[in-house]
Amino acid sequence: ARPLSNCAGGGTCGTCMVEVIEGKELLGSRTDKEKEKLKRKPKNWRLACQTTVGTPDSTGLVVIQQLPEWKGHEWKYKKIPTSELPQ
């Protein structure tokens, strides 16, 4: 329902963030752009536009899951002491 890439493959927008379910051993290393954009994300999250899959002689299956928008954001919240909660 949403575009997979808004930055034309530049690795800057993060809309192509995917979770690698299977086959991460077939993927190249994270690029510098991925390292910056995904620095606090799980190791199996990648930017599809920056990821190289396999080599000419490799075989196997890579299964990815496009992340829901809420998973790609870091939620920030302030903990309120119980004494400050409305009664």
Side-chain angles (χ1 to χ4, degrees), residues 10-22:
T12 57
C13 71
T15 57
C16 68
M17 200 178 305
V18 295
E19 180 178 8
V20 181
I21 308 297
E22 289 181 41

Side-chain angles (χ1 to χ4, degrees), residues 17-80:
M17 200 178 305
V18 295
E19 180 178 8
V20 181
I21 308 297
E22 289 181 41
K24 67 180 180 178
E25 67 281 355
L26 296 170
L27 305 179
S29 301
R30 279 185 174 182
T31 64
D32 289 339
K33 288 182 181 182
E34 282 186 284
K35 288 176 186 174
E36 178 60 30
K37 196 75 175 169
L38 303 172
K39 62 184 164 195
R40 290 187 218 115
K41 305 291 187 230
K43 297 291 182 200
N44 65 328
W45 289 22
R46 299 295 300 266
L47 296 179
C49 73
Q50 296 290 301
T51 305
T52 304
V53 180
T55 60
D57 60 337
S58 63
T59 60
L61 178 69
V62 176
V63 178
I64 62 166
Q65 168 68 47
Q66 186 176 0
L67 295 174
E69 192 171 336
W70 66 267
K71 276 183 109 176
H73 294 284
E74 290 184 33
W75 298 100
K76 294 182 176 36
Y77 61 93
K78 179 181 171 188
K79 190 168 184 167
I80 300 172

